Amino acid sequence: MGGMTDAENMPDWEKRFRAPRVSLPDWATDAPDRSLFVSNATGKYELYAWDRKTGEQRQVTNRPDGTTDGVLTPDGESIWWFDDGHSSSVPDLPSYGDEFGIWMRQPFGGGTDVPAAPGLDPSYSAGLAIGRHGASVVGRSTDEDGTAIHVVRDGAEPVEIYRHRESAGVGDLSHDGTLIAIEHTEHGDAMHSALRIVRLDGSPVAELDDTKGGTQELGLDVLGFAPVPGDTRLLVGHQRGGRWEPMIWDVASGAETDLAIGLPGDVTAEWYPDGSGLLIAHSFEARGELWRYDLATRELTRIETPAGSVSGATARPDGEVEYLWSSAALPPRVRSTTGRVVLDPPGMKAPDSVPVEDVWVEGPGGRIHALVQRPAGVPGPLPTVFEIHGGPTWHDSDAFAAGPAAWIDHGYAVVRVNYRGSTGYGRAWTDALKHRIGLIELEDIAAVRAWAVESGLADPERLILAGGSWGGYLTLLGLGTQPESWALGLAAVPVADYVTAYHDEMEALKAMDRTLLGGTPEEVPERFEASSPLTYVDAVRAPVYISAGVNDPRCPIRQVENYVERLAARGATHEVYRYDAGHGSLVVEERIKQVGMEMAFAAAHLTGREVGGSDDRTEPVGR
């Protein structure tokens, strides 16, 4: 085999992780030739500046664990990027991935990074809006003080204009820089925001609250102020029709314009740069498509895109639309309505995978949509991975994912379930997830599992329950509440001990948990107990693999350790892997390592080759 390159020797599943990928480029509204995107070209996900006029691209950030949060100033002169890792109590040893940090600023052409908002202490980010006229708006969340919003001007001390114990965030800043849109949950329902418009001094202008003070479960979402000087129209997402749809709210007059889009799924939108129309993104039954809505004629025109998922789209000043597209079978590409590929990074290309099949299964709360992939030409029953999505307010779609593709390469079928609580199937389906959290989703997963076995797809003796974040939580909860159903569990960055997780997690997630469960652990202890994997840990029979980031602010490490200690105390077969990052890793090698460890654990235990009662691994901190 002499002379073959490393890429030629590399298995397809690993190529999919290593192949260079790019995000949909953002662009400066007043300097549209200046763009910003994220890429893994150096082996970790970092920010890159792109001058479209010259074609030059340069790496903006270079941190040990990667960087993905960045924003261009409207004039394109600077890039703001979020520098986390500031919760560490050890000097000169950042806790990367903790999501606790400050905004830094760097010239577009390169240069020294400086604090973008000097005078503001590190915090969790609660939104950012950068103005044209010297004022920007920074949202901050801390565990002690709730949410604060500050106006930041060059050469002046930041001015606090808003503070509340409940979650809130910066929505947008008007084109002329005089009005701020704030999303807030002062009514106590973290899943359904109300909107407030304030001036730069914090004085109120208008309020829109579809929750009616928390008595209705209807949310609002800031989609953006009109991109026209002096225009006080705000594009708003609402749920009044049972799903997400856009409307226009004139915050000066109070007038609301229902757009009557008429599409069956969830709809979001953004303005065309001249304000004449809206770019409509429609998500329905795990697929995405684009439309243009003309505000003068109220005409809706389809923008042709291939079948699959549109993960993001933006309208350029000349009317061209750029969008990030993929399908389960075909890797992502940034395309244009002109037919060209906008960004095509050099290097190896990710191999294709297999398409998904749609399955609808009757469940206890209605029809459940599942996406199924299986190795081509291989008859069942197959070892099958139920790959459960996180969120929970998210959904799996017909989009490319390297993880499921790796299992398929190794002869497994993969089933992904859009359980109750998932987005994309109407407000009632999403909001069904209350008080009995975890148990509701597992009822739907159990229904799809029964279909998978009865249809001949899945071998009931080789069924794996797997997922990350909320999917990791459902994995551990499922192993304990449905011990006869699963042969093995793989839980990444999970909630494992709900009470401890609540007390240790970031404040925004505390608010979400209070909404989902109806209170704090002290107020509704029976609900936290019923929904916590730790309650059922002694019933777990299947071997379980757990991976966790030691700096994770969403599913903190202490509560994972509590669960692992209980497994170890009774000699349950398990493996735990700790790594130096937060809620997942932005380093390609680390991602490959973790997927490889999961597949090795499954191969060892599903084939009966025991590898020992437990294996406790810790990645050295500060590598």
Side-chain angles (χ1 to χ4, degrees):
M1 303 297 291
M4 294 186 68
T5 66
D6 289 342
E8 290 172 326
N9 284 312
M10 193 180 298
D12 281 354
W13 74 267
E14 189 173 331
K15 289 179 184 177
R16 295 191 189 97
F17 283 94
R18 293 192 186 280
R21 299 179 65 172
V22 293
S23 67
L24 179 72
D26 191 13
W27 50 276
T29 51
D30 297 340
D33 284 333
R34 295 192 166 188
S35 289
L36 183 70
F37 64 91
V38 176
S39 176
N40 65 341
T42 61
K44 50 190 170 65
Y45 287 83
E46 296 285 4
L47 293 166
Y48 288 77
W50 175 27
D51 188 328
R52 296 178 184 237
K53 188 176 295 184
T54 66
E56 180 185 358
Q57 297 178 7
R58 71 169 187 88
Q59 186 173 339
V60 174
T61 54
N62 185 18
R63 303 192 312 151
D65 280 47
T67 316
T68 58
D69 293 337
V71 180
L72 281 162
T73 56
D75 60 10
E77 291 298 318
S78 299
I79 297 163
W80 288 42
W81 60 272
F82 195 70
D83 179 31
D84 75 348
H86 289 253
S87 68
S88 175
S89 59
V90 181
D92 301 320
L93 185 61
S95 48
Y96 292 118
D98 63 5
E99 302 180 42
F100 196 82
I102 61 174
W103 288 100
M104 301 294 289
R105 186 175 63 203
Q106 182 183 131
F108 182 83
T112 303
D113 292 307
V114 297
L120 292 181
D121 292 333
S123 67
Y124 300 110
S125 176
L128 172 69
I130 303 176
R132 291 174 169 78
H133 306 286
S136 297
V137 187
V138 179
R140 303 170 60 251
S141 172
T142 64
D143 289 338
E144 300 81 15
D145 304 318
T147 305
I149 294 177
H150 301 260
V151 172
V152 176
R153 293 180 172 88
D154 289 341
E157 288 294 313
V159 177
E160 181 178 299
I161 62 164
Y162 176 91
R163 179 177 291 274
H164 200 275
R165 188 71 185 85
E166 297 292 345
S167 296
V170 178
D172 198 17
L173 183 63
S174 62
H175 188 280
D176 61 7
T178 62
L179 299 174
I180 304 166
I182 297 173
E183 298 176 352
H184 73 82
T185 60
E186 294 174 7
H187 48 271
D189 181 351
M191 292 183 69
H192 303 95
S193 294
L195 305 185
R196 181 172 300 153
I197 309 302
V198 301
R199 301 179 183 89
L200 289 185
D201 62 2
S203 59
V205 174
E207 183 89 15
L208 193 62
D209 182 6
D210 279 8
T211 74
K212 308 301 181 186
T215 61
Q216 295 184 164
E217 294 183 339
L218 294 173
L220 296 168
D221 184 27
V222 172
L223 301 179
F225 275 106
V228 179
D231 197 326
T232 56
R233 293 176 300 164
L234 180 68
L235 190 60
V236 173
H238 69 89
Q239 296 179 298
R240 297 170 183 175
R243 61 186 184 276
W244 283 107
E245 300 174 276
M247 70 174 185
I248 293 176
W249 176 35
D250 190 321
V251 303
S253 69
E256 299 176 16
T257 304
D258 182 11
L259 302 177
I261 300 295
L263 296 171
D266 282 345
V267 174
T268 188
E270 70 168 47
W271 297 91
Y272 271 77
D274 62 1
S276 66
L278 303 175
L279 176 60
I280 300 293
H282 177 226
S283 175
F284 184 59
E285 297 184 350
R287 271 79 181 180
E289 58 186 17
L290 299 175
W291 301 73
R292 187 187 193 279
Y293 182 87
D294 188 283
L295 289 169
T297 65
R298 298 177 71 88
E299 181 180 1
L300 191 64
T301 305
R302 175 75 181 270
I303 297 173
E304 292 301 323
T305 59
S309 291
V310 177
S311 302
T314 183
R316 297 276 295 163
D318 60 1
E320 174 188 3
V321 173
E322 296 176 350
Y323 59 96
L324 181 61
W325 175 93
S326 72
S327 70
L330 299 177
R333 303 194 84 178
V334 180
R335 298 170 175 252
S336 164
T337 49
T338 64
R340 67 187 179 91
V341 174
V342 178
L343 276 176
D344 187 15
M348 75 171 73
K349 303 302 179 186
D352 296 349
S353 186
V354 299
V356 295
E357 307 166 29
D358 294 274
V359 173
W360 293 88
V361 177
E362 290 297 331
R367 295 175 72 228
I368 307 159
H369 189 194
L371 302 174
V372 177
Q373 291 173 276
R374 65 184 88 199
V378 181
L382 297 166
T384 300
V385 179
F386 271 65
E387 183 76 31
I388 309 304
H389 72 73
T393 49
W394 189 251
H395 67 272
D396 278 316
S397 60
D398 181 10
F400 195 79
W407 289 106
I408 294 161
D409 286 356
H410 286 78
Y412 293 80
V414 175
V415 179
R416 291 179 283 172
V417 181
N418 284 329
Y419 49 74
R420 277 173 290 170
S422 302
T423 56
Y425 300 86
R427 181 175 63 85
W429 190 260
T430 302
D431 287 351
L433 190 60
K434 286 289 179 67
H435 299 173
R436 293 181 60 250
I437 63 169
L439 305 173
I440 291 172
E441 303 96 295
L442 286 168
E443 290 173 354
D444 292 348
I445 292 167
V448 178
R449 178 201 179 278
W451 165 85
V453 173
E454 292 165 6
S455 69
L457 170 71
D459 179 348
E461 302 300 319
R462 294 186 292 169
L463 275 168
I464 298 174
L465 188 58
S469 191
W470 197 265
Y473 158 63
L474 293 176
T475 294
L476 296 184
L477 189 64
L479 295 178
T481 60
Q482 302 169 352
E484 303 290 343
S485 296
W486 308 103
L488 187 136
L490 305 169
V493 291
V495 174
D497 168 3
Y498 220 129
V499 173
T500 302
Y502 176 86
H503 288 300
D504 290 358
E505 68 194 3
M506 59 202 300
E507 184 57 39
L509 291 184
K510 285 188 173 74
M512 179 64 74
D513 283 338
R514 291 194 296 271
T515 295
L516 289 172
L517 286 155
T520 67
E522 292 71 32
E523 293 166 341
V524 287
E526 71 286 353
R527 290 179 183 167
F528 275 82
E529 181 180 12
S531 292
S532 178
L534 188 66
T535 302
Y536 312 97
V537 64
D538 290 338
V540 173
R541 299 182 182 181
V544 56
Y545 171 91
I546 300 172
S547 59
V550 298
N551 303 325
D552 192 342
R554 298 173 181 265
C555 299
I557 191 68
R558 185 167 71 104
Q559 52 95 30
V560 173
E561 302 289 11
N562 292 346
Y563 186 90
V564 170
E565 287 174 9
R566 288 281 296 275
L567 286 176
R570 65 184 185 86
T573 301
H574 71 283
E575 182 176 329
V576 58
Y577 171 67
R578 305 168 188 85
Y579 57 97
D580 183 21
H583 200 60
S585 176
L586 298 176
V587 179
V588 172
E589 286 290 349
E590 180 63 39
R591 292 186 177 189
I592 291 170
K593 178 180 180 180
Q594 291 182 28
V595 172
M597 292 172 70
E598 289 183 349
M599 290 191 296
F601 186 82
H605 290 284
L606 285 188
T607 58
R609 297 197 303 272
E610 289 294 329
V611 294
S614 67
D615 190 357
D616 195 319
R617 308 184 187 188
T618 302
E619 185 74 6
V621 174
R623 66 187 186 280

